[in-house]
Amino acid sequence: MNVLVREAEELFKFRWVTFSIVRSTILLRYRRSLLGFLWSLLNPILNYIVVGSVFYLLSRGNTENYFIFMFTGSAIFNLISTSANQSPHIMIGNEHYIKKIYLPKTIFVLNSILLEFVNFVFSLVALLLLGIAFGRIPISYSLVSLPIVVSFVVLFNFGVAALISVAAVFFRDLIHIVPICTQAAFFATPILYDVSLIPPKYQDLVVYNPFYHFVRCFREPLYSGQLASPLNYCVLIFGAVVVFILGFWVLKYNENRIVFRL
């Protein structure tokens, strides 16, 4: 606990570095682009519209209010997958900083997570506005749970990013492996399709997929206006805390080794 407190104090001390890097990265990413930051909203939306339309036709419209069902699941999974896909580049991409000046290694992980979180927030706002405007998202008390769910997902992302970023320094092939794994996880998780479409003998296996519980915790308040099951929240909270602690420990343990392996 003392280590976490000291690390939090270090991050607070360098908070303006985080603000500057996240801001400049967002501006540079869409510089000289006609639509600018709107591409952060359009890219995932257009991608999921194409893929979702195919699954909608294959399922013959069996899922009610399908596109809200799909977009709510896709939005939270996209936050997880984009953070994971960027993780192998965190330490490797910041080699010039790490070798020249002192900054807490956690700050590079935090910067990456916050960058994707900002993109997610804008996508979520667009989703909420469109869904409420067209009467597709029910207004209920369950929406209050969303900030808590997203907070634990961000905590989970930090742990995953810390683990992968350190591992990638020693095993560079992760740069190519992680995107394949996240894509496989996307199709293995009931995001584009309902659990009822899975063959009955395999439906029970879905509960062993942690991303299923993450998606359910975020989707249900937006799709059905109700909270997810207690099991879903238990998996989310327990998984996020365990992965965060493990990732933080691995990052701190290898803090000095990273410099010599870059």
Side-chain angles (χ1 to χ4, degrees), residues 1 10 18 23-24 44 63 70 100 144 171 177 184 212 223 228-229 232 245 261:
M1 184 61 70
E10 281 278 275
T18 296
R23 179 178 178 275
S24 60
T63 303
M70 177 197 69
K100 291 180 180 179
V144 178
F171 186 57
I177 294 173
Y212 164 73
Y223 179 68
S229 71
N232 298 142
I245 293 174
R261 290 301 298 264

Side-chain angles (χ1 to χ4, degrees), residues 37-173:
F37 191 76
L38 285 175
W39 280 115
S40 65
L41 311 181
L42 291 175
N43 273 333
I45 289 175
L46 293 175
N47 179 52
Y48 291 133
I49 283 177
V50 173
V51 178
S53 297
V54 174
F55 272 82
Y56 178 74
L57 293 174
L58 290 175
S59 66
R60 299 177 181 178
N62 291 330
T63 303
E64 184 182 354
N65 203 4
Y66 176 76
F67 282 95
I68 293 297
F69 175 87
M70 177 197 69
F71 277 124
T72 50
S74 300
I76 195 65
F77 189 87
N78 190 56
L79 173 60
I80 298 171
S81 63
T82 51
S83 297
N85 290 341
Q86 293 300 319
S87 298
H89 304 278
I90 291 175
M91 300 301 170
I92 298 171
N94 289 288
E95 179 181 354
H96 53 293
Y97 288 119
I98 294 173
K99 287 187 173 181
K100 291 180 180 179
I101 60 175
Y102 169 74
L103 285 171
K105 303 300 184 296
T106 48
I107 203 170
F108 300 109
V109 178
L110 183 63
N111 291 348
S112 178
I113 298 302
L114 287 179
L115 180 62
E116 300 307 329
F117 175 71
V118 170
N119 289 334
F120 167 77
V121 168
F122 279 93
S123 300
L124 179 60
V125 169
L127 172 65
L128 289 174
L129 291 177
L130 289 173
I132 293 173
F134 288 98
R136 297 295 183 178
I137 293 180
I139 305 298
S140 70
Y141 72 93
S142 61
L143 294 177
V144 178
S145 68
L146 292 182
I148 300 173
V149 172
V150 174
S151 297
F152 278 103
V153 170
V154 170
L155 198 69
F156 174 82
N157 286 351
F158 184 95
V160 170
L163 286 169
I164 296 176
S165 63
V166 172
V169 174
F170 302 93
F171 186 57
R172 302 294 175 103
D173 290 358

